[in-house]
Amino acid sequence: MSLLVMKFGGTSVGSPERIRAVAARVARAVADGHQCAVIVSAMGHTTDELVGLAAEIAEQPDRREMDALLATGEQIATALVAMALHETGVKAASFTGWQAGIQTEPVHGAARIEAIDASALVSSLHQNVVPVIAGFQGIAQGAVTTLGRGGSDTTAVAVAAALRADRCEIYTDVNGVYTADPRLVQNARKLMEISYEEMLELANLGSQVLHPRAVETAKRNGVALVVRSSFSNEEGTVIRDMATMERLRIVTGVACEKEVARVALLGMTVSHHHLADIFSALAQASVNVDVIVQSVVKTGETDVSFTVSEGDVARAVDICEEFATRLGCQEVKQETGLSKISIVGAGMISNPGVAAHMFQALAAAQADIKMVSTSEIKVSCIIAADSLDAAVQSVHDAFSLAE
Ligand code: ADP
Ligand code: ASP
Ligand code: MG
């Protein structure tokens, strides 16, 4: 008998029929002799609808109340899945994040899980009652918190680690992790396995299929993680340690991120502290900065540009303009309508020429490269959003990822 944590995403619990199908799958696992703990997301587009509802009430909704509102979506799904399990004859009980003992840091909107007091879940399992736990939520100092969009994956992995489960299965609307988003690239190929390191890069670079903190938590705790479809019995993708991989591919996958903006500070007088000053101020205002490029134009003068999400660009420009006069900066410019395309692969470390090959593929798709950033196992390029679709396909083809 093994202990399975099974997580079902929004599409998988999107209607009464789908909830019944989830219950049937869990009931089969129970009949096969497994102990199961179930994590669910909110049904379908519930979370987006709740965000829309809040926007009709307030321009800048209070962050504590926003979390209280968004957490309700997952609670609806837990009760319905528990009821559906009862209909199959399986004993089950719903748990909110706080009933499940999920404690987070006291931050609203994207809190990290700090600890799980799993005693209530353990006692439920001992009584053969399947706990159906609300993903994406926790509690901190008596207030409801949420883990950031897509955060139910992280709840699942953290619960699997706390229960020392044998496996954490992420059931979603695709058959596994693909070489690119199958919605964007028709000939994307399902991967049988991928390393935690590569999956973490892909998730951080925009592959929505897993929440980055879920991969991070799985790697840290050695949780065996599988991504598979809730609509079929096809084998999914196993995420495993790099050391146990049969072969390291040069490029494993392509990821992309939309709604990227660039801010440029032009003609700044060079000083020891200008970068520290600007980026400290941006950090204090919680503006997440991604790619940064600095170039010395003439002796004593420098241009700095960096990317942020489109939602943060107005705040970032305001902050830069405050510094402009003091730093002798001649102009602050912004550009929206950008995207980031990235390739990830553990075998890149020992293979030169990968970036050049990607640049050729982008040139072939007529995508102008505006900025580049690299690490040991990834190369990212900022390009115009309207060239993204062609760029993703071209890069995918250039590295023969469909084969
Ligand atoms: P869930 O609601 O089950 O959490 P998500 O919408 O968060 O599902 O994640 C699944 C989606 O991730 C897929 O429908 C797919 O469009 C997208 N996706 C992006 N990149 C990839 C990839 N490399 N492999 C598989 N799916 C991906
Ligand atoms: N319901 C939340 C969201 O839509 C969390 C999740 O689905 O993982 O982001
Ligand atoms: Mg998701």
Side-chain angles (χ1 to χ4, degrees):
M1 182 177 74
S2 52
L3 173 54
L4 301 182
V5 169
M6 306 167 86
K7 179 258 169 178
F8 296 90
T11 315
S12 310
V13 293
S15 65
E17 293 70 40
R18 288 188 171 168
I19 286 178
R20 276 194 284 272
V22 163
R25 186 181 289 275
V26 175
R28 272 200 307 278
V30 171
D32 287 344
H34 299 296
Q35 268 191 318
C36 299
V38 175
I39 316 291
V40 292
S41 291
M43 291 173 71
H45 298 290
T46 303
T47 311
D48 290 331
E49 285 158 17
L50 292 171
V51 170
L53 205 52
E56 284 187 40
I57 301 289
E59 206 175 301
Q60 283 277 319
D62 180 84
R63 292 170 75 79
R64 179 188 188 279
E65 301 316 324
M66 195 65 186
D67 275 355
L69 176 71
L70 297 192
T72 60
E74 270 66 14
Q75 290 165 41
I76 294 170
T78 54
L80 293 172
V81 170
M83 288 175 198
L85 278 166
H86 299 159
E87 294 299 306
T88 69
V90 169
K91 287 194 278 181
S94 61
F95 286 77
T96 61
W98 40 103
Q99 286 173 322
I102 299 172
Q103 291 147 30
T104 74
E105 57 180 343
V107 167
H108 289 292
R112 280 180 181 272
I113 295 178
E114 283 186 336
I116 299 185
D117 170 2
S119 48
L121 299 181
V122 169
S123 112
S124 178
L125 288 166
H126 280 160
Q127 293 162 48
N128 287 325
V129 176
V130 172
V132 183
I133 305 151
F136 174 61
Q137 56 181 257
I139 192 159
Q141 298 171 355
V144 177
T145 53
T146 62
L147 312 183
R149 297 303 304 268
S152 296
D153 298 334
T154 301
T155 306
V157 175
V159 166
L163 295 176
R164 297 201 176 83
D166 295 279
R167 198 161 69 236
C168 178
E169 299 181 331
I170 306 288
Y171 287 88
T172 183
D173 56 6
V174 278
N175 296 331
V177 179
Y178 279 67
T179 49
D181 187 339
R183 284 182 218 243
L184 286 183
V185 176
Q186 275 195 349
N187 59 351
R189 187 174 46 85
K190 190 184 89 185
L191 298 163
M192 293 311 292
E193 56 174 20
I194 184 169
S195 66
Y196 290 117
E197 289 79 1
E198 291 167 306
M199 192 61 239
L200 185 57
E201 286 282 10
L202 284 175
N204 273 320
L205 293 166
S207 294
Q208 195 195 337
V209 64
L210 277 178
H211 194 239
R213 282 186 192 159
V215 188
E216 204 179 288
T217 309
K219 178 172 156 52
R220 201 173 48 244
N221 295 284
V223 173
L225 193 58
V226 177
V227 176
R228 54 185 300 191
S229 167
S230 59
F231 307 128
S232 79
N233 287 322
E234 198 180 311
E235 252 180 87
T237 304
V238 179
I239 293 97
R240 61 168 80 238
D241 239 28
M242 197 138 85
T244 68
M245 299 275 294
E246 271 183 27
R247 131 184 124 88
L248 294 181
R249 289 165 292 239
I250 297 176
V251 174
T252 297
V254 184
C256 53
E257 217 177 290
K258 295 179 179 166
E259 295 173 14
V260 173
R262 172 162 70 165
V263 179
L265 294 111
L266 303 178
M268 238 184 339
T269 313
V270 174
S271 72
H272 293 306
H273 54 82
H274 66 271
L275 286 186
D277 287 354
I278 298 164
F279 289 101
S280 304
L282 290 165
Q284 257 172 23
S286 299
V287 173
N288 233 326
V289 174
D290 187 13
V291 182
I292 304 174
V293 172
Q294 176 175 232
S295 50
V296 176
V297 182
K298 297 182 224 152
T299 318
E301 222 176 68
T302 179
D303 288 350
V304 174
S305 52
F306 61 88
T307 63
V308 293
S309 68
E310 279 188 350
D312 278 347
V313 70
R315 253 180 329 140
V317 167
D318 283 351
I319 290 168
C320 290
E321 278 173 347
E322 276 173 35
F323 278 92
T325 332
R326 189 142 42 96
L327 296 174
C329 165
Q330 290 157 22
E331 195 181 357
V332 177
K333 277 175 72 171
Q334 60 168 300
E335 186 178 3
T336 51
L338 302 176
S339 290
K340 184 167 77 169
I341 172 167
S342 309
I343 50 171
V344 170
M348 228 180 254
I349 305 175
S350 49
N351 278 281
V354 177
H357 200 44
M358 179 182 189
F359 299 158
Q360 281 157 7
L362 291 175
Q366 307 199 319
D368 287 338
I369 302 169
K370 293 171 186 280
M371 293 165 102
V372 178
S373 116
T374 64
S375 80
E376 276 189 328
I377 66 165
K378 68 125 200 209
V379 182
S380 298
C381 297
I382 304 293
I383 60 174
D386 55 14
S387 52
L388 182 66
D389 290 359
V392 174
Q393 187 69 59
S394 175
V395 169
H396 194 265
D397 291 344
F399 288 98
S400 308
L401 296 182
E403 288 155 28

PDB file of all heavy atoms in Angstrom, residues 7 9-11 153 171-174 176-178 180-183 207-209, ligand 1:
ATOM      1  N   LYS A   7      -3.367  15.737  -7.039  1.00  0.00           N
ATOM      2  CA  LYS A   7      -3.834  17.135  -7.157  1.00  0.00           C
ATOM      3  C   LYS A   7      -4.575  17.327  -8.476  1.00  0.00           C
ATOM      4  O   LYS A   7      -4.083  16.918  -9.536  1.00  0.00           O
ATOM      5  CB  LYS A   7      -2.641  18.091  -7.061  1.00  0.00           C
ATOM      6  CG  LYS A   7      -3.026  19.558  -7.185  1.00  0.00           C
ATOM      7  CD  LYS A   7      -2.721  20.117  -8.562  1.00  0.00           C
ATOM      8  CE  LYS A   7      -3.327  21.471  -8.800  1.00  0.00           C
ATOM      9  NZ  LYS A   7      -2.998  22.049 -10.105  1.00  0.00           N
ATOM     10  N   GLY A   9      -6.331  20.110 -11.054  1.00  0.00           N
ATOM     11  CA  GLY A   9      -6.378  21.541 -11.386  1.00  0.00           C
ATOM     12  C   GLY A   9      -7.779  22.006 -11.776  1.00  0.00           C
ATOM     13  O   GLY A   9      -8.729  21.210 -11.802  1.00  0.00           O
ATOM     14  N   GLY A  10      -7.872  23.298 -12.078  1.00  0.00           N
ATOM     15  CA  GLY A  10      -9.163  23.942 -12.321  1.00  0.00           C
ATOM     16  C   GLY A  10     -10.004  23.294 -13.413  1.00  0.00           C
ATOM     17  O   GLY A  10     -11.214  23.069 -13.235  1.00  0.00           O
ATOM     18  N   THR A  11      -9.383  22.954 -14.559  1.00  0.00           N
ATOM     19  CA  THR A  11     -10.144  22.339 -15.646  1.00  0.00           C
ATOM     20  C   THR A  11     -10.630  20.957 -15.221  1.00  0.00           C
ATOM     21  O   THR A  11     -11.746  20.544 -15.565  1.00  0.00           O
ATOM     22  CB  THR A  11      -9.265  22.197 -16.912  1.00  0.00           C
ATOM     23  OG1 THR A  11      -8.563  23.422 -17.097  1.00  0.00           O
ATOM     24  CG2 THR A  11     -10.064  21.876 -18.146  1.00  0.00           C
ATOM     25  N   ASP A 153      -0.460  23.636  -6.943  1.00  0.00           N
ATOM     26  CA  ASP A 153       0.602  22.634  -7.157  1.00  0.00           C
ATOM     27  C   ASP A 153       1.524  22.611  -5.940  1.00  0.00           C
ATOM     28  O   ASP A 153       1.964  21.546  -5.489  1.00  0.00           O
ATOM     29  CB  ASP A 153       1.461  22.996  -8.391  1.00  0.00           C
ATOM     30  CG  ASP A 153       0.679  23.013  -9.686  1.00  0.00           C
ATOM     31  OD1 ASP A 153      -0.340  22.309  -9.770  1.00  0.00           O
ATOM     32  OD2 ASP A 153       1.092  23.738 -10.626  1.00  0.00           O
ATOM     33  N   TYR A 171      -2.594  16.106 -11.633  1.00  0.00           N
ATOM     34  CA  TYR A 171      -3.509  15.806 -12.744  1.00  0.00           C
ATOM     35  C   TYR A 171      -3.960  17.119 -13.374  1.00  0.00           C
ATOM     36  O   TYR A 171      -4.450  18.016 -12.680  1.00  0.00           O
ATOM     37  CB  TYR A 171      -4.739  15.042 -12.233  1.00  0.00           C
ATOM     38  CG  TYR A 171      -4.420  13.615 -11.876  1.00  0.00           C
ATOM     39  CD1 TYR A 171      -3.984  13.281 -10.605  1.00  0.00           C
ATOM     40  CD2 TYR A 171      -4.525  12.610 -12.836  1.00  0.00           C
ATOM     41  CE1 TYR A 171      -3.671  11.964 -10.284  1.00  0.00           C
ATOM     42  CE2 TYR A 171      -4.212  11.293 -12.519  1.00  0.00           C
ATOM     43  CZ  TYR A 171      -3.787  10.979 -11.247  1.00  0.00           C
ATOM     44  OH  TYR A 171      -3.472   9.681 -10.951  1.00  0.00           O
ATOM     45  N   THR A 172      -3.758  17.243 -14.702  1.00  0.00           N
ATOM     46  CA  THR A 172      -4.092  18.505 -15.356  1.00  0.00           C
ATOM     47  C   THR A 172      -4.736  18.256 -16.717  1.00  0.00           C
ATOM     48  O   THR A 172      -5.176  17.136 -16.994  1.00  0.00           O
ATOM     49  CB  THR A 172      -2.819  19.396 -15.420  1.00  0.00           C
ATOM     50  OG1 THR A 172      -3.161  20.650 -15.986  1.00  0.00           O
ATOM     51  CG2 THR A 172      -1.692  18.759 -16.222  1.00  0.00           C
ATOM     52  N   ASP A 173      -4.803  19.313 -17.565  1.00  0.00           N
ATOM     53  CA  ASP A 173      -5.507  19.172 -18.842  1.00  0.00           C
ATOM     54  C   ASP A 173      -4.571  18.835 -19.998  1.00  0.00           C
ATOM     55  O   ASP A 173      -4.960  18.910 -21.153  1.00  0.00           O
ATOM     56  CB  ASP A 173      -6.335  20.437 -19.137  1.00  0.00           C
ATOM     57  CG  ASP A 173      -5.493  21.706 -19.124  1.00  0.00           C
ATOM     58  OD1 ASP A 173      -4.252  21.598 -19.002  1.00  0.00           O
ATOM     59  OD2 ASP A 173      -6.062  22.802 -19.250  1.00  0.00           O
ATOM     60  N   VAL A 174      -3.311  18.517 -19.717  1.00  0.00           N
ATOM     61  CA  VAL A 174      -2.382  17.998 -20.730  1.00  0.00           C
ATOM     62  C   VAL A 174      -1.797  16.688 -20.193  1.00  0.00           C
ATOM     63  O   VAL A 174      -1.865  16.425 -18.992  1.00  0.00           O
ATOM     64  CB  VAL A 174      -1.221  18.984 -21.049  1.00  0.00           C
ATOM     65  CG1 VAL A 174      -1.637  20.043 -22.031  1.00  0.00           C
ATOM     66  CG2 VAL A 174      -0.665  19.610 -19.780  1.00  0.00           C
ATOM     67  N   GLY A 176       1.182  15.715 -19.795  1.00  0.00           N
ATOM     68  CA  GLY A 176       2.469  15.759 -19.113  1.00  0.00           C
ATOM     69  C   GLY A 176       3.170  17.046 -19.453  1.00  0.00           C
ATOM     70  O   GLY A 176       2.544  17.998 -19.946  1.00  0.00           O
ATOM     71  N   VAL A 177       4.477  17.067 -19.211  1.00  0.00           N
ATOM     72  CA  VAL A 177       5.272  18.245 -19.554  1.00  0.00           C
ATOM     73  C   VAL A 177       5.762  18.057 -20.985  1.00  0.00           C
ATOM     74  O   VAL A 177       6.318  17.007 -21.320  1.00  0.00           O
ATOM     75  CB  VAL A 177       6.472  18.398 -18.593  1.00  0.00           C
ATOM     76  CG1 VAL A 177       7.309  19.607 -18.979  1.00  0.00           C
ATOM     77  CG2 VAL A 177       5.989  18.488 -17.147  1.00  0.00           C
ATOM     78  N   TYR A 178       5.550  19.046 -21.809  1.00  0.00           N
ATOM     79  CA  TYR A 178       5.920  18.982 -23.225  1.00  0.00           C
ATOM     80  C   TYR A 178       7.166  19.837 -23.505  1.00  0.00           C
ATOM     81  O   TYR A 178       7.563  20.650 -22.676  1.00  0.00           O
ATOM     82  CB  TYR A 178       4.756  19.499 -24.089  1.00  0.00           C
ATOM     83  CG  TYR A 178       3.668  18.477 -24.322  1.00  0.00           C
ATOM     84  CD1 TYR A 178       2.871  18.029 -23.265  1.00  0.00           C
ATOM     85  CD2 TYR A 178       3.436  17.952 -25.598  1.00  0.00           C
ATOM     86  CE1 TYR A 178       1.870  17.090 -23.480  1.00  0.00           C
ATOM     87  CE2 TYR A 178       2.440  17.015 -25.818  1.00  0.00           C
ATOM     88  CZ  TYR A 178       1.663  16.585 -24.762  1.00  0.00           C
ATOM     89  OH  TYR A 178       0.678  15.658 -24.969  1.00  0.00           O
ATOM     90  N   ALA A 180       7.278  22.245 -25.395  1.00  0.00           N
ATOM     91  CA  ALA A 180       6.810  23.641 -25.431  1.00  0.00           C
ATOM     92  C   ALA A 180       5.331  23.584 -25.096  1.00  0.00           C
ATOM     93  O   ALA A 180       4.736  22.491 -25.100  1.00  0.00           O
ATOM     94  CB  ALA A 180       7.009  24.247 -26.825  1.00  0.00           C
ATOM     95  N   ASP A 181       4.735  24.729 -24.815  1.00  0.00           N
ATOM     96  CA  ASP A 181       3.298  24.735 -24.527  1.00  0.00           C
ATOM     97  C   ASP A 181       2.552  24.156 -25.729  1.00  0.00           C
ATOM     98  O   ASP A 181       2.601  24.719 -26.821  1.00  0.00           O
ATOM     99  CB  ASP A 181       2.843  26.186 -24.268  1.00  0.00           C
ATOM    100  CG  ASP A 181       1.391  26.243 -23.806  1.00  0.00           C
ATOM    101  OD1 ASP A 181       0.642  25.291 -24.061  1.00  0.00           O
ATOM    102  OD2 ASP A 181       1.016  27.268 -23.214  1.00  0.00           O
ATOM    103  N   PRO A 182       1.875  22.991 -25.564  1.00  0.00           N
ATOM    104  CA  PRO A 182       1.203  22.372 -26.712  1.00  0.00           C
ATOM    105  C   PRO A 182       0.109  23.259 -27.315  1.00  0.00           C
ATOM    106  O   PRO A 182      -0.314  23.034 -28.446  1.00  0.00           O
ATOM    107  CB  PRO A 182       0.629  21.078 -26.146  1.00  0.00           C
ATOM    108  CG  PRO A 182       0.730  21.170 -24.675  1.00  0.00           C
ATOM    109  CD  PRO A 182       1.764  22.195 -24.340  1.00  0.00           C
ATOM    110  N   ARG A 183      -0.317  24.276 -26.589  1.00  0.00           N
ATOM    111  CA  ARG A 183      -1.294  25.215 -27.177  1.00  0.00           C
ATOM    112  C   ARG A 183      -0.636  26.135 -28.192  1.00  0.00           C
ATOM    113  O   ARG A 183      -1.293  26.692 -29.066  1.00  0.00           O
ATOM    114  CB  ARG A 183      -1.896  26.103 -26.089  1.00  0.00           C
ATOM    115  CG  ARG A 183      -2.915  25.401 -25.238  1.00  0.00           C
ATOM    116  CD  ARG A 183      -3.471  26.395 -24.244  1.00  0.00           C
ATOM    117  NE  ARG A 183      -3.688  25.722 -22.971  1.00  0.00           N
ATOM    118  CZ  ARG A 183      -4.876  25.574 -22.420  1.00  0.00           C
ATOM    119  NH1 ARG A 183      -5.927  26.057 -23.013  1.00  0.00           N
ATOM    120  NH2 ARG A 183      -4.995  24.949 -21.275  1.00  0.00           N
ATOM    121  N   SER A 207       6.492  28.464 -18.115  1.00  0.00           N
ATOM    122  CA  SER A 207       5.699  27.256 -18.416  1.00  0.00           C
ATOM    123  C   SER A 207       4.730  27.025 -17.268  1.00  0.00           C
ATOM    124  O   SER A 207       5.105  26.571 -16.198  1.00  0.00           O
ATOM    125  CB  SER A 207       6.599  26.026 -18.549  1.00  0.00           C
ATOM    126  OG  SER A 207       7.406  26.163 -19.658  1.00  0.00           O
ATOM    127  N   GLN A 208       3.471  27.299 -17.556  1.00  0.00           N
ATOM    128  CA  GLN A 208       2.452  27.336 -16.503  1.00  0.00           C
ATOM    129  C   GLN A 208       2.130  25.960 -15.913  1.00  0.00           C
ATOM    130  O   GLN A 208       1.467  25.869 -14.885  1.00  0.00           O
ATOM    131  CB  GLN A 208       1.210  27.914 -17.184  1.00  0.00           C
ATOM    132  CG  GLN A 208       0.116  28.399 -16.325  1.00  0.00           C
ATOM    133  CD  GLN A 208      -1.131  28.563 -17.184  1.00  0.00           C
ATOM    134  OE1 GLN A 208      -1.044  28.725 -18.407  1.00  0.00           O
ATOM    135  NE2 GLN A 208      -2.285  28.502 -16.565  1.00  0.00           N
ATOM    136  N   VAL A 209       2.593  24.912 -16.579  1.00  0.00           N
ATOM    137  CA  VAL A 209       2.153  23.565 -16.203  1.00  0.00           C
ATOM    138  C   VAL A 209       2.473  23.205 -14.749  1.00  0.00           C
ATOM    139  O   VAL A 209       1.735  22.441 -14.123  1.00  0.00           O
ATOM    140  CB  VAL A 209       2.677  22.518 -17.223  1.00  0.00           C
ATOM    141  CG1 VAL A 209       4.195  22.435 -17.226  1.00  0.00           C
ATOM    142  CG2 VAL A 209       2.057  21.159 -17.010  1.00  0.00           C
TER     143      VAL A 209
HETATM  144  P1  ADP B   1      -4.202  23.350 -13.915  1.00  0.00           P
HETATM  145  O1  ADP B   1      -5.447  24.164 -13.882  1.00  0.00           O
HETATM  146  O2  ADP B   1      -4.446  21.884 -14.033  1.00  0.00           O
HETATM  147  O3  ADP B   1      -3.236  23.710 -12.818  1.00  0.00           O
HETATM  148  P2  ADP B   1      -2.667  24.960 -15.783  1.00  0.00           P
HETATM  149  O4  ADP B   1      -3.478  25.721 -16.771  1.00  0.00           O
HETATM  150  O5  ADP B   1      -2.118  25.714 -14.625  1.00  0.00           O
HETATM  151  O6  ADP B   1      -3.502  23.692 -15.314  1.00  0.00           O
HETATM  152  O7  ADP B   1      -1.419  24.241 -16.503  1.00  0.00           O
HETATM  153  C1  ADP B   1      -1.630  23.437 -17.634  1.00  0.00           C
HETATM  154  C2  ADP B   1      -1.362  24.238 -18.905  1.00  0.00           C
HETATM  155  O8  ADP B   1       0.013  24.585 -18.957  1.00  0.00           O
HETATM  156  C3  ADP B   1      -1.593  23.476 -20.188  1.00  0.00           C
HETATM  157  O9  ADP B   1      -2.934  23.541 -20.596  1.00  0.00           O
HETATM  158  C4  ADP B   1      -0.639  24.137 -21.171  1.00  0.00           C
HETATM  159  O10 ADP B   1      -1.299  25.016 -22.050  1.00  0.00           O
HETATM  160  C5  ADP B   1       0.300  24.951 -20.288  1.00  0.00           C
HETATM  161  N1  ADP B   1       1.728  24.704 -20.565  1.00  0.00           N
HETATM  162  C6  ADP B   1       2.673  25.663 -20.724  1.00  0.00           C
HETATM  163  N2  ADP B   1       3.863  25.126 -20.988  1.00  0.00           N
HETATM  164  C7  ADP B   1       3.702  23.780 -20.985  1.00  0.00           C
HETATM  165  C8  ADP B   1       4.578  22.678 -21.204  1.00  0.00           C
HETATM  166  N3  ADP B   1       5.865  22.851 -21.456  1.00  0.00           N
HETATM  167  N4  ADP B   1       4.052  21.429 -21.129  1.00  0.00           N
HETATM  168  C9  ADP B   1       2.736  21.234 -20.856  1.00  0.00           C
HETATM  169  N5  ADP B   1       1.866  22.241 -20.659  1.00  0.00           N
HETATM  170  C10 ADP B   1       2.328  23.513 -20.714  1.00  0.00           C
END
